[in-house]
Amino acid sequence: MTTARTPSSARVTILMAVYNGSDNLHEQLDSLAGQTHRNWRLVASDDDSRDGSAELIRRFGAAGHEVHLRRGPCQGAAENFLSLIRALPEYGAENGWTAFSDQDDVWLPDKLHLAMSMLWEHPQDAPALYCSRTWITDARLEGRRLSMARPKPPGFRNALVQNVVAGNTIVLNPAATRLVSEAAQEAGKIVIHDWWIYQIVTGAGGTVLHDDRPTLLYRQHAVNQIGANDTFRARMVRVGMILQGRFKEWNDINIAALAGSAHRFAPEERQVYETFAALRCHSVPRRLADLLRLGLYRQSRVSTVALWISALIGRL
C-alpha cells in the first residue's frame, strides 16, 4: 500500500507502449516533463522501433528524468501494454499509482494533478479508475474538438459490451493497480488494454471516476491504433463492425481473457459475466431474454440497437 500522505507526494508510474513513434514522441515526453504533479517515473516498452524512438527515450532519461526502458514483446500495442502491467512488480510498483500514456499525444500540464485529486477522495484500498474526456486534434495538434460525453454511467454492464474508457487518460489508484497487476498474470490475449482494464476494475466492484474536463490532446493520424469515435461516420463504422461479426470476435477474446480472473469479481458481476458468456450459445428467444434480464447497455441508442440486432442474428 502507498505511504503517500498527500496527492502531490504520491508517486505515479507512467506506462508507455512505444513503436516507431519518433515523429511525435518528443512532444509527448515534453508534456510529461511539464506536469504540475512532479512525482512520477516513466516505464516505456519499445517494440523494436527502427526510427530512433528508443534513443529519444534514453535521452529523455539522461536529461534528469527517471526512465526505465524495456524491450517489448513485439506482438502489437495490446500485448505491449499488458507486458508493462505484468512487469510492475519488477519496479516495486504493483501497489502504487499507475498512469497509461500513448506515444503520440500531448498531456495538458495538470493531467496527473486532476486525476490524483479525484482519486485521493476515494478510499485507496478500494479499486478506482480515473479517466477523462480529451481534446481531439489532427496530426498537427490543430482543430480541437471535445471528445464525446458519456450520457450513461460507466459500469460492468457497459464494460462487457463497450469500452468508454480512453486508455491514454487512465490513472489507477493503488488498489486498482494491484488488481490489474495480478489479473494480468492470468490473462491471455486481449483486444486492447483499456477495455480489459475497464472490465477488470468494474467486474471486481471498483469505481470509475469519469472527468468531463479534457486532460490531453489526442492526436488523430493515419496510424492510430483505435482512433476517436466522435463523428457520425465513425459511429456508423463501429455499428457496422458490430453487425459484420467483428464485435463477436472481440467478445470471444474478452470472455476468454476474463475467465482466469473471474474469481476476483464481485458476486453479482461474476453472475453477469457467466450469464453473458453462456447466452451467446443459446437459442434466439433465450438469448434475447437473457440479454434483457442482464441489462447490458451501450452509450447511444444507435449502438444499443446494434447490440440487440447482433444478439438476434447470432453475432454477439
Side-chain angles (χ1 to χ4, degrees):
M1 185 62 63
T2 182
T3 57
R5 296 184 178 180
T6 65
S8 61
S9 65
R11 191 183 202 198
V12 182
T13 299
I14 302 171
L15 304 182
M16 178 188 288
V18 177
Y19 178 66
N20 288 342
S22 64
D23 285 349
N24 305 307
L25 180 57
H26 62 287
E27 291 178 291
Q28 175 66 311
L29 294 174
D30 287 346
S31 74
L32 301 188
Q35 290 298 295
T36 57
H37 181 93
R38 308 296 298 173
N39 194 2
W40 56 265
R41 63 177 164 185
L42 174 65
V43 181
S45 178
D46 179 58
D47 268 349
D48 284 349
S49 296
R50 296 292 187 264
D51 66 345
S53 291
E55 183 55 33
L56 280 175
I57 294 171
R58 291 190 188 97
R59 289 204 299 267
F60 184 66
H65 307 290
E66 183 180 352
V67 172
H68 304 272
L69 180 62
R70 305 171 55 85
R71 182 177 181 182
C74 299
Q75 298 175 33
E79 184 59 33
N80 201 358
F81 272 113
L82 196 59
S83 74
L84 282 162
I85 298 170
R86 289 175 176 145
L88 283 169
E90 296 179 28
Y91 305 97
E94 71 275 23
N95 295 306
W97 304 80
T98 306
F100 293 81
S101 171
D102 288 350
Q103 65 184 7
D104 49 5
D105 301 323
V106 172
W107 286 9
L108 300 181
D110 59 353
K111 179 191 185 300
L112 286 180
H113 170 73
L114 291 175
M116 298 300 293
S117 296
M118 286 186 67
L119 287 168
W120 201 260
E121 300 301 318
H122 188 83
Q124 294 180 32
D125 59 353
L129 178 160
Y130 169 93
C131 59
S132 77
R133 297 174 76 177
T134 65
W135 287 114
I136 300 169
T137 76
D138 62 20
R140 295 171 296 184
L141 300 178
E142 297 175 352
R144 291 189 190 187
R145 63 185 190 274
L146 194 58
S147 64
M148 291 178 60
R150 303 303 179 195
K152 301 177 183 178
F156 189 60
R157 283 174 170 79
N158 178 225
L160 273 180
V161 293
Q162 184 181 28
N163 180 31
V164 299
V165 171
N168 50 4
T169 71
I170 289 177
V171 181
L172 303 177
N173 76 344
T177 294
R178 183 165 58 252
L179 171 65
V180 301
S181 176
E182 294 171 353
Q185 314 304 324
E186 303 159 345
K189 181 181 179 182
I190 61 174
V191 176
I192 192 63
H193 70 289
D194 47 10
W195 196 358
W196 175 80
I197 291 171
Y198 181 29
Q199 293 175 333
I200 289 290
V201 171
T202 55
T207 300
V208 174
L209 306 175
H210 187 274
D211 195 343
D212 270 334
R213 296 168 294 187
T215 60
L216 59 83
L217 307 183
Y218 180 19
R219 192 193 306 262
Q220 297 293 288
H221 49 71
V223 293
N224 277 109
Q225 187 70 21
I226 297 294
N229 186 28
D230 68 319
T231 66
F232 179 79
R233 180 179 182 277
R235 290 194 292 272
M236 290 302 99
V237 168
R238 298 290 177 95
V239 169
M241 292 169 73
I242 292 175
L243 301 180
Q244 292 166 13
R246 178 66 63 85
F247 186 51
K248 184 179 186 302
E249 295 174 13
W250 288 345
N251 285 334
D252 289 340
I253 294 169
N254 286 338
I255 288 169
L258 294 175
S261 302
H263 65 283
R264 303 182 183 280
F265 290 176
E268 181 177 339
E269 280 71 21
R270 180 163 186 172
Q271 183 62 48
V272 169
Y273 162 75
E274 291 174 349
T275 302
F276 177 64
L279 72 79
R280 301 165 70 240
C281 299
H282 291 161
S283 64
V284 172
R286 185 176 174 186
R287 187 162 63 236
L288 296 178
D290 283 348
L291 185 61
L292 178 63
R293 179 166 57 87
L294 286 181
L296 305 184
Y297 63 93
R298 291 172 63 89
Q299 292 290 319
S300 73
R301 291 181 180 178
V302 170
S303 62
T304 298
V305 169
L307 172 68
W308 280 89
I309 294 175
S310 71
L312 180 65
I313 64 177
R315 292 183 176 177
L316 183 59

